[in-house]
Every structure is written in C-alpha cells, then in structure tokens.
C-alpha cells in the first residue's frame, strides 16, 4: 500500500496561518486513519475470502457471512495472542 | 501504488494555504488508491476462482462467474468492514 504518512514543515508565519496549518494536519491525520482502516479491510478480506468462500454464487449465504465475521475476529485475536506472547518471549530474553 | 504526493503550494499570491482544495485532493487520492487496491485483489481472487485452464478467450461461463465473483467479493468486503468496525468499537469501549 502507498505510504500515506506526510509530514511537512511549515515556515514560521503568523499565528493564524500556524493554526490553519495545524488544523489541516489534523484533518489529514483523520483521512489517514480512515485509509489505514480501509487497508486493513483489504487485508482481512483477502485472507478470509480464501478461508470462507466456496464457489461464487448468486448471493452471500448466511453461513459464509458468519464465517467472514468469525474470520475477522479470530484473525485479530491471533494477532493479539502473537503480540502478547512475543512480548513475553522478548522480555524473558529469548531470540 | 501511486505515491501519496500532493502539491501543497497555494495558487494565491498571499501564500495562504487553501485547506479546502488540499482536503479535496487528499480525499480523491485516497479514494483512487482504495479503488485500485480493491480491483487488484478482486481480479486476483476471481481469476483464481473462475478461470481454470486458460483458453483462447473468456467463454460465457467464465464471464458469468467473473461477474458473480465481483459482486460476492464486494459483499464480502462490506461484511468484513462492518465486522472490523464492530470489533474496533468494542475494543474502544473496553478502554
């Protein structure tokens, strides 16, 4: 995915222009957060499609829909489990 | 992916930042990148699902499969988006 981070130095200007620049940075940060959410949805959909979809049909049946929801939840749980356990391993001095 | 580049110079001689135009550009660029990501992943999944041994053209059944697959992929994307959003809200409520 594209790197959506942007930082720019504003030249020292009047305080009203600084306030405008700060507000602009805040608005851009909001859009970046939305973009990060979208990027995660793309990743989850990619993984969970493989887990849950059989042959494409004329609509998404409830079993598949349930599978997709569970897939997202369990993927996040897995991420948290790995993060926590890895943190413990590092703290104990494991490689 | 296209880099997130934006021209932050203003057109007006006063040097003031035109926040409205910049935010419009930001939103458009993010939306375009999002659509590109969606199409790229959708193409990958639907090619895998629908095209067996590649022939000299896409036959009717392959065309129909691709159309259905696109609809199902977007349904799946929306389901995943809702599931992820719910999870985020649940996690925020815990803090």
């Amino acid at each position: 995915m594209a790197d959506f981070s942007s930082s720019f130095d504003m030249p020292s200007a009047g305080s009203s222009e600084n306030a405008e620049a700060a507000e602009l940075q805040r608005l851009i940060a909001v859009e970046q957060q939305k973009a990060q959410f979208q990027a995660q949805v793309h990743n989850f959909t990619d993984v969970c499609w493989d887990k849950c979809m059989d042959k494409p049909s004329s609509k998404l049946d409830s079993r598949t829909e349930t599978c997709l929801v569970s897939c997202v939840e369990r993927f996040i749980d897995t991420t948290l489990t790995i993060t926590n356990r890895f943190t413990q391993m590092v703290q104990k001095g494991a490689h | 992916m296209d880099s997130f580049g934006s021209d932050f110079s203003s057109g007006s001689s006063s040097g003031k930042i035109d926040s409205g135009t910049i935010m419009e550009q930001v939103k458009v660029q993010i939306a375009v990148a999002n659509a590109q990501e969606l199409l790229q992943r959708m193409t990958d999944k639907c090619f895998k699902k629908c095209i067996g041994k590649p022939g000299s053209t896409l036959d009717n059944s392959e065309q129909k499969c691709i159309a259905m697959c696109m609809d199902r992929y977007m349904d799946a994307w929306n389901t995943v988006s809702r599931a992820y959003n719910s999870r985020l809200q649940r996690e925020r409520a815990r803090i």
Side-chain angles (χ1 to χ4, degrees):
Chain A
M1 272 302 270
D3 175 12
F4 288 118
S5 69
S6 66
S7 63
F8 51 96
D9 283 330
M10 293 311 302
S12 50
S15 66
S16 74
E17 281 176 355
N18 276 343
E20 250 187 78
E23 175 64 7
L24 187 61
Q25 275 183 304
R26 192 192 65 80
L27 288 173
I28 288 175
V30 168
E31 294 303 314
Q32 274 171 234
Q33 233 187 10
K34 288 190 207 167
Q36 276 177 332
F37 176 87
Q38 309 266 49
Q40 278 291 50
V41 175
H42 284 305
N43 284 331
F44 293 150
T45 306
D46 195 308
V47 167
C48 295
W49 174 273
D50 291 341
K51 284 263 181 236
C52 294
M53 293 299 296
D54 321 301
K55 284 265 161 269
S57 55
S58 48
K59 81 178 204 83
L60 214 61
D61 66 36
S62 62
R63 202 185 54 168
T64 311
E65 184 136 358
T66 306
C67 178
L68 287 168
V69 173
S70 301
C71 176
V72 172
E73 297 276 352
R74 300 296 76 75
F75 191 95
I76 293 171
D77 291 340
T78 304
T79 306
L80 292 173
T81 302
I82 289 177
T83 305
N84 290 334
R85 185 157 188 276
F86 187 74
T87 306
Q88 288 170 3
M89 288 166 70
V90 164
Q91 284 171 346
K92 285 189 191 134
H95 301 295
Chain B
M1 291 283 288
D2 289 341
S3 68
F4 176 61
S6 204
D7 178 11
F8 286 109
S9 63
S10 87
S12 75
S13 56
S14 72
K16 281 194 69 176
I17 308 154
D18 185 359
S19 307
T21 307
I22 288 170
M23 285 315 295
E24 275 310 301
Q25 288 179 341
V26 164
K27 287 179 187 175
V28 164
Q29 285 184 350
I30 290 177
V32 166
N34 189 48
Q36 282 179 333
E37 190 73 18
L38 180 72
L39 287 181
Q40 199 169 71
R41 308 231 192 184
M42 183 192 282
T43 303
D44 185 72
K45 296 302 180 194
C46 294
F47 184 82
K48 285 196 177 102
K49 279 255 184 269
C50 293
I51 280 77
K53 198 97 177 158
S56 54
T57 58
L58 290 177
D59 65 38
N60 271 334
S61 67
E62 286 168 334
Q63 301 262 22
K64 275 212 273 233
C65 179
I66 290 168
M68 271 203 305
C69 178
M70 285 177 68
D71 290 346
R72 298 295 75 73
Y73 192 85
M74 288 187 280
D75 290 341
W77 200 96
N78 287 331
T79 300
V80 167
S81 179
R82 284 191 299 265
Y84 184 40
N85 193 44
S86 298
R87 177 61 181 259
L88 284 177
Q89 291 186 333
R90 229 177 305 136
E91 295 293 331
R92 282 191 196 124
R94 290 206 300 139
I95 297 167

